[in-house]
Every structure is written in structure tokens, then in C-alpha cells.
Amino acid sequence: MNGLPLTWEFLAVPQAVPEVRQILRERFEGEDASDLVLCVSELLANVITHVGERTPVALRVSATPSGRVRVAVSDPAAAVWPALRDTGPEGTSGRGLQLLDALALRWGVEQAPYRKTVWCELRVPERRVGGRPDRGGAAPSYQGCG
């Protein structure tokens, strides 16, 4: 996974989620990064749902010393912690952290005085047979905080 770490700061708005997915797909073109893309989507959706739209977030995708990929999403709501819920078969929401828990090798929350970071570690995406080389990726267009 060349080109790591990737770091972006932008506003958590619904339109940013598919844009970030596309950027990651392009960045990891030729690799099976579906778990990475899905985990990033869920972490951003949690900020939008539980902290609020237009919350400034920092997204970081990096390599760990143990050879994993670490995804971290930071936001300024230090007191709003994610909670793994039992949604039951009839539930229509609340499965994001269950999904993250199932896909990630491990995940957690780090708290600082004025922010929190929800992170997860995943296996490095595998090269697809016949995949094309990476083209890199641009930052999401939702850059401003105001």
C-alpha cells in the first residue's frame, strides 16, 4: 500500500460519503479495498447521524507497523461515543458498528480533551488479478469548515 498515509479534513455531510468512497476506490484501484471503503463509509455516516451534519472531521488511512491498514475518523464531539448495539432482526438502523466489528481485526475509540477518534484496523487490501496501477486520489471537495 504505497502512498500512505492519506489524510483529509472536510465537513461530514451526506454528499461527502460517496465522494470519499470514490476517492478510495480510485486510490486503491487494482486492490480489493471493499472492506476499507465500507468501514470508512460507516464511520463517516456515524458522525453525520450521531454528531451532526457539517461536523468537521479528519480522516486518516495509514499503515501500521504490524502490516495492517488503520482507518481513523476524528471529530470534535469528545462526549459522543459510539456504542455497539443489538438491533435484532427487525431493526432498520444501528448496524454500522456491528458491521465495523465484523470486518475489522480490531477497533476502538481514543479521546482527547476536545475531540475523539474512532479507529479500526483491517487487513491490507489484496491485489486483484489483472488490476491496473494506482492513480492516486484527490481530497474530498468538502474542505471548508464554514
Side-chain angles (χ1 to χ4, degrees), residues 52-65:
E53 285 190 37
R54 301 192 56 76
T55 298
V57 296
L59 167 63
R60 182 175 173 88
V61 180
S62 58
T64 69

Side-chain angles (χ1 to χ4, degrees), residues 52-100:
E53 285 190 37
R54 301 192 56 76
T55 298
V57 296
L59 167 63
R60 182 175 173 88
V61 180
S62 58
T64 69
S66 63
R68 297 176 176 172
V69 174
R70 180 181 168 103
V71 173
V73 175
S74 300
D75 68 61
V80 181
W81 276 55
L84 193 56
R85 300 189 274 177
D86 181 18
T87 57
E90 301 290 321
T92 58
S93 65
R95 289 191 169 85
L97 282 180
Q98 289 178 351
L99 187 61
L100 184 79

Side-chain angles (χ1 to χ4, degrees), residues 5-73:
L6 303 171
T7 304
W8 301 303
E9 293 184 5
F10 55 97
L11 297 179
V13 294
Q15 301 88 335
V17 178
E19 187 173 338
V20 168
R21 278 189 212 124
Q22 183 61 36
I23 291 168
L24 290 171
R25 283 186 196 110
E26 289 174 2
R27 171 60 189 86
F28 298 108
E29 185 177 7
E31 298 175 74
D32 181 9
S34 56
D35 288 354
L36 170 69
V37 171
L38 190 54
C39 287
V40 168
S41 298
E42 290 301 329
L43 291 173
L44 290 176
N46 279 347
V47 172
I48 294 165
T49 301
H50 300 290
V51 179
E53 285 190 37
R54 301 192 56 76
T55 298
V57 296
L59 167 63
R60 182 175 173 88
V61 180
S62 58
T64 69
S66 63
R68 297 176 176 172
V69 174
R70 180 181 168 103
V71 173
V73 175

